[in-house]
Amino acid sequence: MSTEPATVVMVEYENASDEVRAVFDDIMATKGIGFVPNAWKVFASHPPTLKRLWYGLKEVMAPGALDPKFKEMIAVAVSVTNGCDYCTRSHTGAARKLGMTDAEYGELLAVVGMFNQTNALAEAYKIPVDDVFLRPWSDQG
């Protein structure tokens, strides 16, 4: 677990501007939590970034063709692959809150591990892409 400090001063709720507090309030209300997660306190060191990230994330993670649990599981997979411990832990928690089971988590990590391995091998071997995969999927028949 990282004990290193952030590279900027985290903005605490009580020290936040009205603009930042409005975003913090929306984060807590949307997530149904009573605290501001550290990531958002760090992003608040630059309010335009805080707003862009929060409102973009809120839009992307809203229910749509993919349900929220599946979206959080994708976020876990990307976070694991990118080696972001904070992101892995926060999105695992969010996916668990949405009902992700131990079995689903285990399969998710198995898929992540398998494809990180096969992707690395495909890149190392410089495997040429099959012609069929270069055509638009609408032409696949």
Side-chain angles (χ1 to χ4, degrees):
M1 188 174 306
S2 177
T3 57
E4 295 180 33
T7 59
V8 296
V9 175
M10 293 194 296
V11 178
E12 298 298 333
Y13 187 87
E14 58 273 6
N15 300 325
S17 66
D18 289 344
E19 173 187 34
V20 168
R21 276 191 190 180
V23 177
F24 283 176
D25 288 340
D26 192 38
I27 290 167
M28 291 187 288
T30 300
K31 293 182 167 289
I33 56 177
F35 68 98
V36 178
N38 286 341
W40 300 109
K41 292 178 186 178
V42 168
F43 299 147
S45 69
H46 187 251
T49 296
L50 171 70
K51 287 170 40 176
R52 184 180 68 252
L53 291 174
W54 170 246
Y55 292 113
L57 180 84
K58 189 174 175 181
E59 179 182 333
V60 167
M61 297 305 280
L66 302 176
D67 69 69
K69 181 176 91 172
F70 190 68
K71 289 181 178 188
E72 286 294 349
M73 291 174 72
I74 292 169
V76 171
V78 172
S79 299
V80 168
T81 297
N82 286 334
C84 180
D85 185 52
Y86 184 92
C87 302
T88 299
R89 289 176 182 277
S90 67
H91 290 289
T92 297
R96 292 266 194 202
K97 188 174 178 180
L98 293 169
M100 181 179 69
T101 65
D102 287 346
E104 289 173 321
Y105 188 58
E107 283 189 36
L108 173 65
L109 294 181
V111 171
V112 169
M114 178 55 62
F115 281 91
N116 278 326
Q117 178 184 19
T118 59
N119 285 196
L121 290 169
E123 280 300 302
Y125 281 119
K126 302 298 181 200
I127 299 173
V129 178
D130 298 274
D131 289 340
V132 68
F133 299 134
L134 295 173
R135 294 196 308 264
W137 285 105
S138 58
D139 294 344
Q140 297 298 314

